[in-house]
Amino acid sequence: MPGKRWIVASTIAVALFYGSLWGLAEATAGHILHLLRIPGLAGFIMFPVGFFLMRRAFSRSGRFLAVFLTSWIAAGIKLADLFLPGADFLAVWNPVQAILLEGLAAAGILLAARKIHLTAAQAILASLSWRLAYFALSFLWIELLAAGNLFQAGPVFLLRFLLLDSLANGLLIYFIMKMRLPLPTEKTTKLFRRPALATALLIAALAAEVVL
């Protein structure tokens, strides 16, 4: 039986791999989606991507902790933009906040369901819950910094963000989960737990985040 330290170390390695992969996706595909300047498009597409990767991290490690860590690592990669000259705090923090809330929503739903396969209603709830939390936190930024945020987009966008996008996102996640993916073998599980592979992917994600 593997010891507690080995379990924690392997969980971190798996989360580092999938979190870095998520960060790389955000730095590349997410960057392109933001350039299109369509409100809500990046979050609409990237949340299913992030959920898929968090779910894979859970299935590879068997630990709910991996879901949290995967989102924290992806958010940390995005946070690297703060160290760039002329970085706008809120422009960086908004996607970081979204990723962290997505991680909490995914972990909460998976933990409550106690299984890796969710119903359509549970997938929709995961999508709705992080959006509601993001919506609520936007009030905080108004009060603290008098900053612009998603409320400036108008009521039509807000209703779409909370209701229509949550429904479509949840259904997309549900159908992704219905896809028959190969089960992790002992060989591939060991591969994803290798710190060297995860570290290399982390470096690639950070480089893409800073350069793009």
Side-chain angles (χ1 to χ4, degrees):
M1 289 288 290
K4 184 176 180 180
R5 289 185 180 180
W6 183 90
I7 292 174
V8 172
S10 63
T11 300
I12 291 173
V14 169
L16 183 62
F17 177 85
Y18 283 104
S20 298
L21 193 58
W22 186 1
L24 184 61
E26 289 280 353
T28 53
H31 176 71
I32 293 171
L33 292 171
H34 280 293
L35 290 178
L36 296 177
R37 297 190 179 280
I38 300 175
L41 179 63
F44 178 78
I45 294 177
M46 296 310 297
F47 176 53
V49 172
F51 191 94
F52 173 79
L53 293 172
M54 286 185 283
R55 180 171 171 262
R56 292 297 280 179
F58 173 57
S59 68
R60 294 284 181 182
S61 66
R63 311 284 291 184
F64 285 106
L65 177 62
V67 179
F68 287 108
L69 292 179
T70 298
S71 65
W72 294 347
I73 291 164
I77 292 169
K78 180 66 70 175
L79 201 60
D81 284 344
L82 278 180
F83 298 97
L84 297 176
D88 182 333
F89 172 75
L90 280 180
V92 175
W93 177 249
N94 280 332
V96 169
Q97 174 180 271
I99 291 171
L100 292 173
L101 292 174
E102 289 165 4
L104 286 172
I109 291 296
L110 288 171
L111 183 60
R114 289 289 178 181
K115 58 184 179 180
I116 199 168
H117 296 290
L118 303 180
T119 65
Q122 289 169 333
I124 292 169
L125 181 59
S127 182
L128 177 62
S129 60
W130 83 260
R131 292 171 189 276
L132 284 172
Y134 189 92
F135 186 89
L137 285 175
S138 294
F139 283 107
L140 179 64
W141 294 121
I142 290 175
E143 294 297 326
L144 294 180
L145 301 176
N149 51 55
L150 80 168
F151 291 101
Q152 294 177 337
V156 174
F157 168 76
L158 293 178
L159 286 174
R160 193 201 79 191
F161 176 78
L162 286 174
L163 302 179
L164 183 60
D165 286 2
S166 294
L167 176 63
N169 253 186
L171 291 176
L172 179 58
I173 289 169
Y174 174 71
F175 285 117
I176 289 174
M177 290 190 299
K178 296 291 285 184
M179 295 171 58
R180 292 186 177 274
L181 297 173
L183 294 173
T185 63
E186 184 178 352
K187 184 177 180 179
T188 57
T189 299
K190 287 182 178 179
L191 178 65
F192 287 116
R193 285 173 175 165
R194 289 182 180 176
L197 178 61
T199 302
L201 191 56
L202 175 62
I203 293 171
L206 285 169
E209 183 64 42
V210 171
V211 172
L212 296 178

